[in-house]
Amino acid sequence: MSTQADSKPWTVPALVEAKRAGRKLVMLTAYDAGFARAMDAAGVDLVLVGDSLGMVVQGHDSTLPVTVADIAYHTAAVARGLKRALLVADLPFQSDATPERALDAAIALLQAGAEMVKLEGAGHKLEVIRFLAERDIPVCAHLGLTPQSVLKFGGYKVQGRDAAAAARLRADAQAVAQAGAALLVLECVPSPLAAEVTAALAIPTIGIGAGPGCDGQVLVLHDLLGLDSGHRRPRFVKDFLAQGGSVAGAIAAYAQAVRDGSFPDDAHSYAS
Ligand code: KIV
């Protein structure tokens, strides 16, 4: 089942309507026009130009070297491939350190074709979210494992596992929504906690390693296609190319699995 009439472009208000209607949101990362076109044709609802491009496209060990110019370049390419999916672009490392820097970066990304910007964290980022939202820039928040904090975390680890961390995540999720975020990505969070956060919020949640209880799912394109990233393969990654038989088939199989609730299953989630 598609989440909107296939010809109708997604809008930010339509995301909340989808959540209210109980329709799952299908999201993938893309970095160029060709894959973006394939995702649009397969009925993917949201496309993210993620700073994961630092790892999967540029070959770095983290997302930290990615610049606003990098994201703007790939956003412009992806935008040319989309007719229907909503285009989200990442604010890269420290481009959102202050509200003013974030506004400059967000303007560059929206002018390149993005319709929403994503930023990691809560804390001082709440002021940034509020500053952008008040200026009519749609914001997607990102909590749980926030890869730009890899140095602080000491690696890519599941977040929210103990009671204190879970309470902090619940509070942060409420805070980013109150600050004006229109969407929330939850990365590497135990499934019961992600489901609880999802039920408590009016805005949709998009999970990656956060279990089936989120309002939608996102995967990195290279992971969906089973490409070896040169890094340890996280538990939530699934190769849909094997099942789909072609790039278009893999994207369609992923979209179908998200919509019918068969992905992610327990084998691709964290119970605790
Ligand atoms: O950069 C990215 O691709 C992301 C997704 C993994 C959510 O942030």
Side-chain angles (χ1 to χ4, degrees):
M1 181 184 72
S2 183
T3 57
Q4 276 199 324
D6 279 352
S7 55
K8 201 171 161 197
W10 274 93
T11 63
V12 174
L15 299 176
V16 175
E17 288 163 25
K19 173 165 180 142
R20 284 202 204 106
R23 289 188 243 118
K24 292 276 188 191
L25 295 166
V26 178
M27 186 177 199
L28 277 174
T29 69
Y31 314 97
D32 66 33
F35 279 105
R37 199 172 298 114
M39 291 174 193
D40 216 51
V44 169
D45 305 315
L46 298 119
V47 170
L48 169 66
V49 179
D51 60 359
S52 52
L53 74 84
M55 299 174 81
V56 299
V57 176
Q58 297 174 334
H60 295 294
D61 283 339
S62 77
T63 60
L64 306 192
V66 177
T67 65
V68 174
D70 293 335
I71 299 281
Y73 173 88
H74 289 276
T75 296
V78 168
R80 288 180 208 115
L82 298 181
K83 289 199 174 77
R84 177 181 170 270
L86 191 96
L87 178 50
V88 184
D90 261 344
L91 289 177
F93 184 57
Q94 299 303 340
S95 67
D96 56 356
T98 66
E100 291 75 17
R101 284 191 68 169
L103 179 61
D104 286 345
I107 289 170
L109 300 185
L110 264 56
Q111 289 181 340
E115 295 163 287
M116 178 180 277
V117 294
K118 179 164 80 60
L119 62 86
E120 297 184 6
H124 78 279
K125 298 291 182 69
L126 295 174
E127 194 192 340
V128 177
I129 295 172
R130 204 170 296 114
F131 193 80
L132 296 180
E134 280 170 355
R135 283 156 183 77
D136 301 333
I137 296 178
V139 177
C140 173
H142 183 159
L143 297 174
L145 169 52
T146 45
Q148 291 173 17
S149 308
V150 64
L151 300 177
K152 183 181 84 177
F153 291 150
Y156 298 100
K157 300 173 184 170
V158 179
Q159 303 295 309
R161 278 194 146 144
D162 62 50
R168 217 165 33 243
L169 191 114
R170 282 187 207 99
D172 285 350
Q174 289 293 343
V176 296
Q178 272 162 24
L183 193 66
L184 170 60
V185 167
L186 292 171
E187 179 165 355
C188 287
V189 173
S191 305
L193 177 59
E196 196 189 319
V197 167
T198 299
L201 293 181
I203 61 168
T205 62
I206 305 287
I208 174 162
C214 295
D215 297 307
Q217 300 293 329
V218 59
L219 267 189
V220 169
L221 168 66
H222 294 57
D223 291 338
L224 170 108
L225 297 178
L227 279 173
D228 179 6
S229 66
H231 301 278
R232 196 171 60 83
R233 221 176 145 74
R235 179 185 172 92
F236 58 79
V237 165
K238 181 169 174 187
D239 172 359
F240 281 91
L241 187 58
Q243 165 180 348
S246 65
V247 168
I251 297 169
Y254 165 70
Q256 173 66 30
V258 171
R259 291 193 177 115
D260 70 21
S262 58
F263 180 80
D265 55 12
D266 289 347
H268 296 90
S269 307
Y270 304 94
S272 59

